[in-house]
Amino acid sequence: MGNQQQRAYNFNAGPAALPLEVLERAQAEFVDFRNQGMSIMEMSHRGAVYEQVHNEAKLLLKQLLQVPDGYDVLFLQGGASTQFAMIPMNLLTPDKVGGYVISGAWANKALQEAALIGETKVVASTEGDAYMRMPQPHEIVAPENAAYVHLTSNETIEGTQFAQYPTRQDVPLIMDMSSDILSRPIDVSQFDLIYAGAQKNLGPSGVTVVIAKEELLANSPKTIPTIMRYSTHFKNNSLYNTPPSFSVYMVNLVLQWIQAQGGLAAVERNNQAKAQLLYHAIDESGGFFRGCAHKDSRSLMNVTFRLGNEELEKAFIKQADQAGFIGLKGHRSVGGLRASIYNAVPYENCDALAQFMRQFQQQNG
Ligand SMILES: *Cc1c(COP(=O)(O)O)cnc(C)c1O
């Protein structure tokens, strides 16, 4: 397992913890990759060695998510935020409306970008519940001329996650999975396009994964810049221009690590057990800790909670920091506390945090 002792208990929201095994493997291969006498970062992206890594990552992602035939995987740059713009630029035609499910901060950002490009409509919103829950499928009503309906699988800031996705209506579904991709099995065929920035659950920052139907990727309007067209990247196997080669390489290592864990079913079991440790500590605290999200929308990735007052929250963060627990401060827009427990965060670290929470309560309750 390496020097686990020297590693922090990392609960950062993103960029976030990577598996220690992946970091050690990257370290071992860093200077001389596959006997090439150079690092993967120093190689041509047109060469056979890089292209093999690129294609391995694509194939492994398809296998792990059981991506059906007729879909392709793109490796793009600019983060999930660039997808907020690329989606309407490519798909929101003037006669149509982009439908947005507004479940929190990230959904709102996606909507704001689309509104700069075309006509949008909020097709469901949980603003009335301060975004502390995900909408029920029946709350989502899309207009007939919807180009698509956009969902956010996991709201990273609020700590909410769809327990069950809305089943397919007669409109294409698009989903931002930046903070929970590969955390559990999903039925990709329910969606026309899924995207995720890598830096939470897939690898380091710098690469964004797009998984979409080929027919959708092939037909971008010629009126938008070449680099912003899905068709450009689709037709060139994401090698139209220089890809973020080191990030793609790291994603490939993370995918291999997931495969070695036993795939997504095993990863999901582990994620449920990890989240349960923390939600138990919250629920059994008799109100000392209060979970932010409604129970049926609780995220397995971002556990958000509060204490009685902000002084106590500050003291918690300070003492946690001294004990080696990093990244527990809630997002500045919502305050409180947040433990981000993506795939790479070990069960033992969640257990240690749950124990720290009980100890803090004993001393301050
Ligand atoms: C982090 C995050 C984003 C933004 O990702 P960038 O890669 O920084 O643009 C978008 N959506 C969700 C759900 C996120 O968690």
Side-chain angles (χ1 to χ4, degrees), residues 78-82 84 106 152 154-156 176-179 197 199-200 208:
S81 301
T82 297
F84 295 166
W106 287 117
T152 308
N154 183 80
E155 285 284 2
T156 322
D176 178 359
M177 295 199 79
S178 292
S179 50
Q199 67 272 20
K200 283 127 189 176
T208 304

Side-chain angles (χ1 to χ4, degrees), residues 265-280 300 303 341 345-348 350-351 354:
V267 164
E268 180 182 37
R269 276 195 300 278
N270 196 34
N271 284 333
Q272 280 170 342
K274 284 155 52 185
Q276 212 159 64
L277 287 170
L278 300 183
Y279 286 122
H280 264 171
L300 298 184
V303 178
I341 52 171
V345 175
Y347 179 90
E348 294 71 31
C350 298
D351 196 29

Side-chain angles (χ1 to χ4, degrees), residues 249-262:
Y249 155 77
M250 288 293 289
V251 166
N252 192 35
L253 292 187
V254 170
L255 295 171
Q256 289 173 23
W257 176 83
I258 290 175
Q259 193 179 40
Q261 306 291 300

